[in-house]
Amino acid sequence: MFRTALRNVLAHKARLLMTVLAVMLGVAFVSGTLVFTDTLGNAFRNQSAKSYADVAVAVTTWAERGDEETPGVDEATLKKIKEIDGVAEVTGRVSGFAGVADTKGKLIGDGWSNTGSNFSPGAGGKDAQYTFTDGTGPVRAGQIALDQETARKGEYRVGGPVRVATNGPVKEYTLSGVFTTEDGAVNAGGSLVLFDTEVAQKLYLRPGEFKDVTVTAAAGASDQQLLKAVKPLLPKYAEAKTGTALADEEAEMTETGLKSLNAMLLAFAAIALFVGVFLIANTFTMLIAQRTKELALMRAVGASRRQVKRAILLEAAVVGLIASIIGFLLGVGLAAGLRSAMGMLGGKIPAGPLVVSPTAVASAFAVGVLITVFAAWLPARRAAKIPPVAAMSSVHAVATTKSLVVRNSIGGVITLLGSAAVVAGAAQGDENGRWVIGGGAFLALTGVIVLIPLLSRPVIALVRPLLRRLFGVSGKLAAQNAVRNPRRTGATASALAIGLTLVTGISVLGVTLGQAIDKMTTDNIRADYMVSMASGDALDETALTALREADGVAAASPQRSVWFYTGKDEEAVSASGVTPGDVEKVFDLKTVSGSLSSLKDGEIAVDRETAKSHGWKTGDSVPVTFQDEKKETLKVGALYEGNEFLSPVLIPEAVVDPHETLSDIREIWLTMDGGASDANEAAVIDALGDNPAMSVVDQQGIRDMFGGFINTALNIMYGLLAMALVIAVLGVVNTLAMSVFERQQEIGMLRAIGLDRRRVKRMIRLEAVVISLFGAVVGVTLGTFLGWAIGKSLSASIPGYALVVPWDRLALFLVLAGLVGVLASLWPARSGAKLNMLTAIKTE
């Protein structure tokens, strides 16, 4: 039977080509994902190990500039650590944000990954953590060193000036050297600026103190013994670990992050393979129908049902194995290409070999072979059940009425159950409701797939008169051919339906959420500009002062983050320190009771929901305790409708200032005379000292900032789902090609009675378009339903939520589905039109 299976595979190479391609693409997706994430994990693990290779003990404190209660490690402690037996060297570090501008004045890096630290030379005048390729490290105030990539992007040369921004005003330094490093922030595409130690301590902590310390061991010294000796010398809240332990922790964090990436990519690979199942099942169903007499003859000469079934499954296994080998090799190439692409796009991956693990190999081959065999199981089972006599008397094994009734009944029940679960989950909302929607979506999609053969007849019947009217006999024949074999049409359309269900659901949800966020922005903000730090850190008080004095500024209010405690249980309440009189000019605040002008009198304003939860009303006096543990009684001067860009309580700056040692200004909101304009934006940037680390964004930029990530996520999803849609297209090509092969005699007869080649091509093209559009209509309808349900479950947490159906995108999906049908039909249509009519008529 194995020889028979192998012979059949070789005999039907062309007809199995699309199956091989589908499995190959799915396997490439799986193996590429596993190899890529294994390679990343290995590279980052090696980088962590390398970074801590010479570190015996690492000390971390939580000291911050302005926080006098949490000490760092001072110079005296550093000397004590250095005197411990077995300690070769001790290095103290401080760090924080430092931004460098490129040639256009724009920040190099992504804000969060732009860091500054201190150059800490040892006995030989070198810092072991950095290798200088040009110049030397900074050894006095006014000097800095830059990492090699940042120096290249900024076109900076040793000895030249460099403008560097920290959380204060921009300062100009002289570049003393350029270095390379294994620092994770730099490898992530950020920048690293090294200052002289004293300068760095003043910028980021306090003179004479370090935030972190690394201890290098002398030859033969034990890391654990050094750890025990170092711990008693450390200040309160400091934490010490061995370098090995820290490297292991970083590796574990990397593994955790990569697991999420791995799971997401494999989920899309599973979708692609699921779509491929329909193509494979369709292919084997058609092959078996074409080989009915051959199978009957095998049964007649003594082959049992089990042997027939086994032979077909062996064919599937051989096809799966071949596809897996090609797909695995393609996946390895894909992983290598992704790593290179990330480097070209600015994402730095540590050097290392491409890791092809046994797990990746086994998974790829197991997936490819098992999916193919699974998809071929039902056709093989049907083939084994055909009696020899019945098979010899019929070219095709027609499904019985009973089997179709059972199938449609089961499909109807599953669809109703799934739809009910989706509606129930949407009504319930919250996370539990979304899990219910997920389960219901799976059932509904499964039920629709089962019902698609039944749905094909009435849906395609609706367009039959239009096809006949527009395309004549070619259109009439195309419609008839599309519903001649409902199972085949259904299986082909199902692949497209699955892909477009996901694409449509994501589109409906994404566009709806995007517009809700956009509406939230426009409804709540009056300001022309928002100023913030690119790093996400707090702005310096000097920035607020400079902006208030800038030309054209009509109103300026900070969003200063404040906390206070109230009530018997000392409940923490979030508040915003704002400028009375200006805050209502930069935000759209709808007053419920009282007046916002009361902020000028030192009173507070509370959003309606927060006031309700605490039982506060206008005129109430609220006893509070600030973070400095000082108590005050604040009067509620106004209640207002909540604003998403402000904390639930507004407190005048004058009330906040005595209690806050740190100016925690997250944003500064500005209204300008004459509104947003190039001149006003230039005035704001000039007032900030042309600081590259400070972001100045207009209203459209604010809308893009809060809604842009949705478009990015949508594009990523579309890209990942493209594989499933490609496989669906292959399914259409495969179905048409094999359908043309089956109908050779029929096409020959049509040609003989006057249907010319042009009309034959048109007939096959229209058949492809009809099947593709049928699948697209099912997918778009189901996807819109699921998008509505998921959005409904999120509506309670999104102010101003309203369902938005992106009709333009849905229309585009249908047009693309029609185009897919046209493209998929090119080869089958050409083959059908080229058939010799006399040869075709004689074909059995």
Side-chain angles (χ1 to χ4, degrees):
M1 295 306 290
F2 178 76
R3 286 198 302 271
T4 302
L6 189 59
R7 178 182 60 79
N8 283 326
V9 170
L10 295 174
H12 301 102
K13 295 188 292 292
R15 281 176 264 174
L16 287 167
L17 177 62
M18 297 303 169
T19 296
V20 171
L21 285 174
V23 179
M24 179 191 76
L25 290 174
V27 170
F29 206 148
V30 172
S31 57
T33 295
L34 294 174
V35 171
F36 180 61
T37 52
D38 285 346
T39 299
L40 285 185
N42 181 67
F44 283 115
R45 277 194 300 274
N46 290 342
Q47 178 183 269
S48 298
K50 187 176 179 181
S51 299
Y52 293 104
D54 298 324
V55 176
V57 178
V59 178
T60 303
T61 71
W62 310 111
E64 296 288 346
R65 185 185 180 194
D67 179 8
E68 302 294 337
E69 295 182 3
T70 307
V73 179
D74 57 24
E75 295 280 1
T77 304
L78 234 62
K79 289 180 181 178
K80 290 178 183 177
I81 294 173
K82 198 166 186 178
E83 292 169 359
I84 296 172
D85 289 338
V87 172
E89 193 172 346
V90 181
T91 304
R93 302 282 182 197
V94 286
S95 60
F97 170 77
V100 180
D102 62 14
T103 53
K104 296 180 181 179
K106 301 297 182 182
L107 185 68
I108 297 173
D110 299 318
W112 65 269
S113 58
N114 297 326
T115 54
S117 188
N118 62 302
F119 175 68
S120 183
K126 294 183 178 180
D127 190 327
Q129 194 155 344
Y130 311 105
T131 302
F132 279 81
T133 58
D134 191 12
T136 60
V139 292
R140 62 176 182 271
Q143 289 185 334
I144 61 158
L146 291 176
D147 69 89
Q148 193 172 50
E149 190 63 16
T150 300
R152 184 191 66 78
K153 289 177 180 176
E155 299 181 6
Y156 293 116
R157 300 287 180 268
V158 171
V162 182
R163 295 175 74 246
V164 180
T166 54
N167 285 354
V170 180
K171 292 184 180 180
E172 192 170 278
Y173 297 85
T174 300
L175 183 62
S176 67
V178 177
F179 58 88
T180 60
T181 178
E182 291 296 324
D183 185 276
V186 175
N187 283 327
S191 63
L192 178 60
V193 181
L194 295 182
F195 299 91
D196 172 66
T197 295
E198 289 186 8
V199 173
Q201 286 175 328
K202 290 176 183 176
L203 283 172
Y204 298 125
L205 193 56
R206 291 175 287 273
E209 286 191 20
F210 297 95
K211 185 173 183 179
D212 305 309
V213 175
T214 56
V215 179
T216 305
S222 165
D223 291 358
Q224 290 295 336
Q225 291 296 327
L226 290 179
L227 181 64
K228 289 180 181 179
V230 168
K231 277 187 174 181
L233 303 177
L234 300 178
K236 189 178 180 182
Y237 305 123
E239 184 179 20
K241 293 181 180 179
T242 64
T244 304
L246 281 175
D248 291 342
E249 282 184 10
E250 279 199 10
E252 188 176 339
M253 288 172 63
T254 301
E255 292 283 348
T256 302
L258 289 175
K259 279 179 182 176
S260 301
L261 174 64
N262 210 25
M264 182 185 74
L265 292 175
L266 288 176
F268 284 95
I271 292 168
L273 287 166
F274 183 55
V275 171
V277 166
F278 293 93
L279 190 158
I280 299 163
N282 224 8
T283 301
F284 278 93
T285 298
M286 288 187 284
L287 283 175
I288 288 164
Q290 293 167 12
R291 289 160 47 200
T292 305
K293 288 188 177 181
E294 175 192 325
L295 294 172
L297 184 59
M298 289 175 62
R299 291 291 312 281
V301 298
S304 66
R305 287 185 176 182
R306 181 179 298 177
Q307 285 176 312
V308 171
K309 182 177 177 182
R310 190 184 301 158
I312 294 169
L313 294 180
L314 277 172
E315 289 178 38
V318 171
V319 171
L321 183 62
I322 294 169
S324 297
I325 294 170
I326 301 171
F328 178 74
L329 295 175
L330 184 63
V332 172
L334 181 64
L338 279 173
R339 186 171 67 169
S340 300
M342 284 186 69
M344 292 171 63
L345 293 172
K348 293 187 178 180
I349 300 174
L354 203 65
V355 178
V356 182
S357 66
T359 302
V361 177
S363 299
F365 282 87
V367 164
V369 175
L370 290 177
I371 286 292
T372 313
V373 171
F374 170 76
W377 179 81
L378 193 57
R381 183 172 175 270
R382 286 181 187 149
K385 291 172 69 175
I386 300 172
V389 175
M392 285 183 176
S393 64
S394 175
V395 177
H396 301 286
V398 181
T400 64
T401 304
K402 179 182 177 183
S403 70
L404 291 174
V405 170
V406 171
R407 174 187 178 126
N408 295 334
S409 300
I410 293 173
V413 170
I414 294 174
T415 303
L416 286 173
L417 287 174
S419 301
V422 169
V423 173
Q428 180 180 343
D430 64 43
E431 187 174 352
N432 292 331
R434 287 188 285 279
W435 279 108
V436 174
I437 291 172
F442 177 77
L443 288 175
L445 186 57
T446 303
V448 168
I449 289 168
V450 174
L451 284 175
I452 272 186
L454 175 66
L455 296 173
S456 63
R457 288 185 180 277
V459 173
I460 294 175
L462 293 175
V463 298
R464 187 181 298 168
L466 181 64
L467 289 173
R468 188 187 303 116
R469 190 175 303 115
L470 293 177
F471 304 104
V473 68
S474 296
K476 179 181 178 180
L477 290 171
Q480 290 175 344
N481 289 334
V483 294
R484 177 184 294 182
N485 191 327
R487 287 181 185 242
R488 182 187 303 170
T489 299
T492 306
S494 293
L496 273 173
I498 293 166
L500 282 173
T501 293
L502 297 171
V503 169
T504 303
I506 290 169
S507 297
V508 170
L509 184 62
V511 171
T512 297
L513 293 180
Q515 292 209 13
I517 291 173
D518 190 64
K519 185 175 185 298
M520 179 181 71
T521 304
T522 54
D523 286 355
N524 287 295
I525 297 173
R526 289 181 177 175
D528 296 310
Y529 295 105
M530 178 186 78
V531 177
S532 61
M533 290 295 295
S535 61
D537 294 332
L539 288 154
D540 193 80
E541 190 77 36
T542 56
L544 180 59
T545 302
L547 288 170
R548 282 175 172 159
E549 296 172 355
D551 293 338
V553 175
S557 178
Q559 206 285 75
R560 191 190 304 262
S561 182
V562 183
W563 290 87
F564 63 78
Y565 302 92
T566 186
K568 294 179 181 179
D569 298 327
E570 291 291 308
E571 182 182 351
V573 178
S574 172
S576 292
V578 297
T579 302
D582 281 3
V583 66
E584 54 265 52
K585 295 177 183 177
V586 296
F587 292 106
D588 190 359
L589 299 173
K590 297 178 177 62
T591 306
V592 176
S593 63
S595 173
L596 290 172
S597 62
S598 62
L599 290 169
K600 295 179 180 179
D601 302 323
E603 298 177 3
I604 63 174
V606 185
D607 83 48
R608 185 166 56 88
E609 292 299 322
T610 302
K612 182 179 178 181
S613 66
H614 287 85
W616 299 339
K617 58 183 182 296
T618 305
D620 284 355
S621 294
V622 180
V624 302
T625 304
F626 284 94
Q627 286 180 288
D628 60 358
E629 298 184 356
K630 292 181 181 178
K631 299 180 184 295
E632 276 201 38
T633 300
L634 302 176
K635 185 178 180 180
V636 179
L639 300 184
Y640 66 96
E641 292 289 350
N643 187 296
E644 298 299 318
F645 297 90
L646 288 167
S647 298
V649 177
L650 306 183
I651 304 182
E653 285 180 283
V655 176
V656 173
D657 286 342
H659 302 285
E660 298 291 327
T661 55
L662 291 174
S663 179
D664 195 4
I665 301 175
R666 293 295 153 183
E667 303 108 22
I668 300 172
W669 300 84
L670 306 172
T671 299
M672 310 293 293
D673 292 329
S677 66
D678 292 342
N680 278 337
E681 185 173 342
V684 171
I685 292 172
D686 186 59
L688 295 169
D690 196 15
N691 190 327
M694 291 186 184
S695 169
V696 179
V697 187
D698 62 12
Q699 249 197 40
Q700 184 58 50
I702 296 167
R703 293 163 67 181
D704 294 341
M705 183 188 302
F706 289 104
F709 72 94
I710 291 179
N711 289 328
T712 301
L714 276 176
N715 291 332
I716 291 172
M717 296 291 185
Y718 290 156
L720 292 172
L721 286 170
M723 187 73 75
L725 293 174
V726 167
I727 293 173
V729 172
L730 292 177
V732 178
V733 176
N734 198 42
T735 298
L736 288 173
M738 299 191 77
S739 178
V740 168
F741 179 82
E742 281 184 2
R743 302 198 320 252
Q744 286 185 72
Q745 190 177 56
E746 175 189 315
I747 292 171
M749 290 294 294
L750 290 171
R751 293 273 287 112
I753 62 174
L755 195 68
D756 58 22
R757 290 184 175 181
R758 183 172 57 85
R759 289 180 180 177
V760 169
K761 284 184 180 180
R762 183 185 297 167
M763 175 186 73
I764 296 171
R765 278 199 297 267
L766 288 173
E767 182 182 347
V769 171
V770 166
I771 293 173
S772 297
L773 285 175
F774 169 57
V777 168
V778 173
V780 165
T781 303
L782 188 56
T784 303
F785 173 57
L786 296 179
W788 162 81
I790 297 171
K792 185 70 175 175
S793 71
L794 293 166
S795 60
S797 58
I798 301 174
Y801 173 88
L803 177 68
V804 178
V805 179
W807 296 109
D808 54 342
R809 296 196 189 193
L810 301 189
L812 178 62
F813 295 157
L814 293 175
V815 170
L816 289 176
L819 182 61
V820 161
V822 172
L823 294 175
S825 67
L826 291 178
W827 173 46
R830 186 169 177 271
S831 300
K834 287 176 65 178
L835 286 174
N836 182 287
M837 65 180 76
L838 294 177
T839 305
I841 290 170
K842 291 189 294 181
T843 301
E844 292 188 11

